[in-house]
């Protein structure tokens, strides 16, 4: 009888992990279909986006605020807040099945209308929602289940099991629960195997053998500083809007959030027109093309993708940051390849990806591990580590606190619920 609770916990983590893997596959396929739908809708004329994108943003923001509250944004801050909240009612409001369903539906709506957003952050929240549903059978294991669900979401979304473990430790669970570690890994493995079974053992951006010559090593800290500062600016802007702009502008946005979302959508549509549609969507195709040298990065792509992602993030619609951040980093690396034309473009692009992603997340280990796993490039591991560490320091010079944990703190403060302290990035 003493063994029953242990085996029940193991089965919950395993079955929950399989369900998270299935959800990740559904979200991946749905996101692809939504982006294809946007291209089809705007195929007659790119100027259709000037109407479609603002209208879609307004509808998505309305649904996220009224029908599916707590589905806005990435979803990772909601998981962090749920782990720290002591109020059960508030916690359930962040990780209910209704929120998970709404996250998926409204995310697809945003992508269908041209939002610059990813599916990976929402997959983290949906993973936590699924695990929380199983957690009702063992409420004492809920914090570990939330951590496992979020980490499994990253692992299944990118087919990067190691990055899922690292993300769970570094970003979701600063106070990591040693007693749950084995079960969390089991959940990640179950989710990863389910995703691989359905989608094949793929690498997210394909493999690249690019290496960095020692003579060109000076470019790594240059890209790291630029990427880190840019990522820090992104986080600072998102946090500023989350707290509320001061003065009349802030009061106007608070009073008319749906109109503000529509205005953000119009600005995103303009970014899309200026980049021939490249600023819309997750940015996966553009980043992959730049990484493999199939398409050179224009000097306008990185800044306009950056702006489109900021606007999508502050508009109040659901959407993740991982894929767009990797796309911005790829564009940044592609731009700076002109400084070292003799170095393989893939090497510079990977450094740009790690630098900018680190700047946004302030999670350097997660950033270089996830990029390494996504491309199976181990020759660049040391340069990517160096880039991550320098970018993290540069980002903190602009934005002292981590984006996701600060947003989680804002949620807890506004809800005015008891919470354990939210650990900040060291």
């Amino acid at each position: 009888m003493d063994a029953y609770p242990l085996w029940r916990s193991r089965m919950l983590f395993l079955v929950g992990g399989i369900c998270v893997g299935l959800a990740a596959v559904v979200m991946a396929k749905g996101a692809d279909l939504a982006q294809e739908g946007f291209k089809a809708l705007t195929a007659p004329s790119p100027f259709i986006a000037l109407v479609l994108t603002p209208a879609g943003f307004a509808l998505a923001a309305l649904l996220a605020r009224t029908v599916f509250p707590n589905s806005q944004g990435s979803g990772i801050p909601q998981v962090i807040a749920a782990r720290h909240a002591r109020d059960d009612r508030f916690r359930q409001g962040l990780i209910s099945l209704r929120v998970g369903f709404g996250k998926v539906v409204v995310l697809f709506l945003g992508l269908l209308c041209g939002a610059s957003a990813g599916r990976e952050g929402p997959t983290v929240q949906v993973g936590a929602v699924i695990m929380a549903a199983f957690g009702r059978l063992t409420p004492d294991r809920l914090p570990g289940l939330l951590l496992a669900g979020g980490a499994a979401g990253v692992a299944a979304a990118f087919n990067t099991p190691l990055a899922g473990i690292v993300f769970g430790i570094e970003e979701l669970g600063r106070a990591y629960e040693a007693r749950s570690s084995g079960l969390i890994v089991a959940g990640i493995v179950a989710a990863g195997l389910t995703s691989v079974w359905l989608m094949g053992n793929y690498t997210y951006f394909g493999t690249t053998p690019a290496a960095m010559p020692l003579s060109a090593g000076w470019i790594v800290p240059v890209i790291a500083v630029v990427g880190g500062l840019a990522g820090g600016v992104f986080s600072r802007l998102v946090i500023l809007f989350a707290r509320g702009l001061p003065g009349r502008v802030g009061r106007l946005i608070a009073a008319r959030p749906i109109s503000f979302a529509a205005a953000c959508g119009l600005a995103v549509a303009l970014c899309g027109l200026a980049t021939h549609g490249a600023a819309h969507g997750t940015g996966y195709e553009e980043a992959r093309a730049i990484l493999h040298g199939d398409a050179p990065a224009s000097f306008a792509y990185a800044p306009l993708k950056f702006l489109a992602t900021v606007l999508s993030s502050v508009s109040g619609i659901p959407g993740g940051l991982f894929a767009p951040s990797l796309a911005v980093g790829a564009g940044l690396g592609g731009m700076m390849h002109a400084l070292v034309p003799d170095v393989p473009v893939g090497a510079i692009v990977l450094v740009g990806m790690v630098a900018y992603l680190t700047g946004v997340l302030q999670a350097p280990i997660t950033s270089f591990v996830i990029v390494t796993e996504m491309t199976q490039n181990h020759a660049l591991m040391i340069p990517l580590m160096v880039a991550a560490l320098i970018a993290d320091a540069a980002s903190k010079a602009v934005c002292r606190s981590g984006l996701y944990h600060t947003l989680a703190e804002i949620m807890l403060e506004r809800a005015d619920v008891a919470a354990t302290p939210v650990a900040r990035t060291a």
Side-chain angles (χ1 to χ4, degrees):
M1 291 297 292
D2 292 339
Y4 174 71
L6 175 62
W7 282 103
R8 184 176 63 176
S9 294
R10 289 177 176 174
M11 290 303 299
L12 287 176
F13 277 80
L14 287 171
V15 175
I18 292 171
C19 292
V20 173
L22 291 171
V25 171
V26 170
M27 292 180 72
K29 297 294 187 182
D32 290 343
L33 289 174
Q35 291 182 98
E36 291 173 8
F38 174 75
K39 292 177 181 178
L41 290 171
T42 55
S45 171
F47 292 98
I48 292 174
L50 294 175
V51 176
L52 174 63
T53 305
F57 270 52
L59 178 58
L62 179 64
L63 292 173
R65 289 179 65 86
T66 58
V67 182
F68 305 110
N70 295 318
S71 67
Q72 301 96 322
S74 160
I76 295 174
Q78 286 92 326
V79 177
I80 295 172
R83 278 180 48 80
H84 287 272
R86 295 174 182 171
D87 186 289
D88 289 337
R89 186 174 179 179
F90 172 72
R91 181 189 294 115
Q92 289 302 321
L94 296 172
I95 53 172
S96 68
L97 290 173
R98 179 189 183 92
V99 168
F101 175 77
K103 190 79 171 189
V104 176
V105 171
V106 187
L107 169 67
F108 291 168
L109 173 61
L111 290 173
L112 180 64
C113 298
S116 176
R119 58 177 168 80
E120 296 78 20
T123 305
V124 170
Q125 187 176 8
V126 170
V129 165
I130 291 171
M131 285 294 200
F134 285 98
R136 293 189 181 124
L137 300 175
T138 54
D140 59 308
R141 305 307 296 271
L142 183 59
L145 282 163
L146 292 177
L147 180 57
V154 169
F158 286 117
N159 190 28
T160 52
L162 181 58
I165 296 170
V166 173
F167 178 76
I169 296 172
E170 186 177 36
E171 190 60 23
L172 289 181
R174 301 285 166 81
Y176 191 55
E177 298 175 54
R179 71 191 186 103
S180 297
S181 60
L183 297 178
I184 290 169
V185 172
I188 291 171
V189 169
L193 288 176
T194 303
S195 176
V196 168
W197 175 56
L198 292 173
M199 300 183 68
N201 190 19
Y202 65 98
T203 48
Y204 191 81
F205 282 119
T207 58
T208 172
M212 177 76 68
L214 286 175
S215 60
W218 62 270
I219 195 67
V220 173
V222 174
I223 298 174
V225 169
V226 174
L229 290 174
V233 170
F234 176 90
S235 296
R236 190 75 177 264
L237 288 171
V238 173
I239 291 170
L240 179 64
F241 276 88
R243 290 198 183 279
L245 294 181
R248 184 177 179 181
V249 174
R251 291 194 295 272
L252 183 62
I253 291 173
R256 299 182 178 276
I258 309 306
S259 298
F260 175 68
C264 289
L266 178 60
V268 170
L270 293 172
C271 292
L273 287 175
T275 57
H276 304 288
H280 294 293
T282 63
Y284 165 76
E285 292 180 2
E286 291 77 12
R288 185 185 177 99
I290 295 170
L291 174 63
H292 292 283
D294 297 331
S298 70
F299 284 90
Y301 176 68
L304 289 176
K305 183 65 175 175
F306 170 93
L307 180 58
T309 308
V310 170
L311 292 164
S312 297
S313 298
V314 303
S315 67
I317 69 174
L321 302 177
F322 275 84
S325 295
L326 291 168
V328 173
L332 176 65
M335 287 170 54
M336 301 190 75
H337 181 248
L339 299 175
V340 282
D342 295 333
V343 177
V345 65
I348 304 300
V349 169
L350 288 179
V351 173
M353 285 179 166
V354 169
Y356 184 74
L357 184 62
T358 299
V360 172
L361 301 183
Q362 292 189 2
I365 302 175
T366 295
S367 297
F368 82 76
V369 168
I370 205 168
V371 170
T372 300
E373 272 197 292
M374 284 193 301
T375 58
Q376 292 296 305
N377 187 318
H378 301 286
L380 279 174
M381 187 169 289
I382 297 301
L384 295 184
M385 288 181 184
V386 172
L389 292 174
I390 295 174
D392 186 51
S395 177
K396 285 184 171 68
V398 179
C399 184
R400 295 184 61 183
S401 55
L403 174 61
Y404 292 140
H405 284 262
T406 302
L407 294 178
E409 286 180 348
I410 293 171
M411 289 180 187
L412 291 166
E413 289 168 3
R414 288 182 175 169
D416 192 24
V417 298
T420 55
V422 179
R424 295 178 181 272
T425 305

